[in-house]
Amino acid sequence: MIRSPGRERVRFPDLTADLTELSLQPDAGTSLIGVSVAALATAFAIDRFATAVDMGRCSALLAAQETVLLTHCHSDHVAGLIAWLSAHTRRHRGRPTRVVVPSGKREALLAALEVWPDLEGVRRRVDLAEALVCAEPGTAIDLAGGGAATAFAVRHSTTTLGWAVTSPGSDRPVVVIAGDSTVEPFRDDPGLLDASVAVVDCSYIDTGTRVAARLGGHGHLDDWLELLPDLRCDFLVLAHLQPGTTAETILERLPEDLPGTATVVPWVGRP
C-alpha cells in the first residue's frame, strides 16, 4: 500500500500482479481485492473467506469465490454475475455456489437467470433456486474459513444491504462493505463501520454536489470528512468514485491534517 507524501494518513491501494485490480492488505491474513467505479463496476474479493461482495465484473480471482454477497441489484454491482456463474461452476466444479440477494430481489433475479440465453450449462451444473439465498438486515451467513457475514440496513435508491464480515473468534469485523448509501445510517450509528477496513460510497467529491449525492442515495467526500472523527475503523476505503477520478484529484480535495484516527484509502491507482 502506497503512502501519499505529506499526508501521513492517506494511503493508496496496490495494483495486483496482473495489473487488473486494486489490493489492500490490512493484516497478514486478509486481503481486500477488487474494483469500484461508479456506474461501471464494483466487485470485491475477500479470498480468506472465499467470498465476493458484489459482482459488477468477473475476474479469475472473483470466479474462484464460493459466495457472492450482493449489496443491491443495480447493473454496476451485478453485471458480472452471469460470467461468475459460468466460470465458477465450470472451473471450480464441486465447490459451493451461492449468491446472497437482498430481500425482495431474489425472485426477479432468479427469473432472469432461468431465461438467460445460452446459460444451459450453468443450469445443468447448479440448481439456481438453491444457489440464490435471500437476506435482510440481521441475516447472518456462514462463510468458508470459519468467517461470517451479517447484513445491515443502509440508505440508497433501491433495497440495499451493507455487509460486515468477521473472522473466527472475533466480534469486530475485519471488513465492512457499506454498499451504495448516503452517510445518514453511519451518522446515526458510527459503530456500523467499526472494523479493520470499512468500505464506503464516495460517489461525489466536488463542491456543490452534496445535495445531488443525497438525492441519488450516495455519499459525498465532505460527508465522510465530517464523520471521520467519530469513526473507529482502521482504514476507511473511499469507493465508488466517478470514472476518471485520479489520486491527484482526490489529494486536491483532502485536507493536509485529517481529523480522527482512521487511515483514508481512496480506491484509485497510486499517484
Side-chain angles (χ1 to χ4, degrees):
M1 189 165 50
I2 305 302
R3 174 180 296 179
S4 175
R7 289 178 171 86
E8 293 300 313
R9 286 177 33 239
V10 179
R11 304 287 191 272
F12 289 91
D14 297 313
L15 274 172
T16 54
D18 62 3
L19 307 180
T20 62
E21 293 170 299
L22 297 172
S23 172
L24 172 67
Q25 189 169 12
D27 58 56
T30 307
S31 293
L32 179 70
I33 299 175
V35 298
S36 184
V37 182
L40 293 182
T42 291
F44 289 102
I46 310 171
D47 196 42
R48 173 181 176 185
F49 304 118
T51 295
V53 180
D54 287 333
M55 194 61 67
R57 65 184 287 268
C58 192
S59 65
L61 174 65
L62 288 161
Q65 308 311 309
E66 298 175 354
T67 297
V68 178
L69 305 171
L70 293 180
T71 62
H72 63 298
C73 289
H74 281 163
S75 61
D76 55 327
H77 294 256
V78 300
L81 197 56
I82 297 295
W84 176 80
L85 283 166
S86 178
H88 181 73
T89 60
R90 185 173 67 252
R91 296 180 181 276
H92 304 279
R93 193 170 302 198
R95 292 176 59 184
T97 301
R98 180 173 53 171
V99 181
V100 186
V101 188
S103 178
K105 303 294 182 179
R106 177 187 177 277
E107 295 308 315
L109 182 57
L110 177 59
L113 293 174
E114 286 179 336
V115 299
W116 194 272
D118 300 325
L119 206 62
E120 291 81 5
V122 169
R123 291 188 282 263
R124 285 195 302 269
R125 292 190 290 270
V126 65
D127 184 334
L128 290 172
E130 290 185 3
L132 267 62
V133 178
C134 193
E136 58 188 20
T139 296
I141 303 292
D142 290 333
L143 305 176
T150 303
F152 59 91
V154 295
R155 193 174 302 172
H156 189 38
S157 59
T158 188
T159 303
T160 304
L161 297 172
W163 288 100
V165 179
T166 54
S167 57
S170 176
D171 293 329
R172 188 183 192 227
V174 62
V175 178
V176 167
I177 296 185
D180 289 8
S181 176
T182 67
V183 74
E184 275 77 14
F186 312 105
R187 187 176 285 135
D188 294 341
D189 183 6
L192 288 171
L193 299 178
D194 184 4
S196 178
V197 177
V199 182
V200 298
D201 176 348
C202 190
S203 297
Y204 291 79
I205 67 171
D206 295 330
T207 56
T209 59
R210 291 182 82 172
V211 172
R214 191 167 293 110
L215 290 175
H218 293 290
H220 191 285
L221 177 61
D222 290 341
D223 295 331
W224 296 113
L225 291 176
E226 288 179 2
L227 192 59
L228 206 51
D230 299 323
L231 298 182
R232 298 191 297 273
C233 54
D234 301 329
F235 298 95
L236 182 70
V237 173
L238 304 179
H240 213 256
L241 294 160
Q242 293 294 325
T245 303
T246 64
E248 289 77 11
T249 306
I250 290 287
L251 289 171
E252 288 175 1
R253 293 282 289 113
L254 290 176
E256 288 288 340
D257 296 316
L258 288 171
T261 60
T263 296
V264 173
V265 184
W267 204 252
V268 294
R270 66 189 69 168

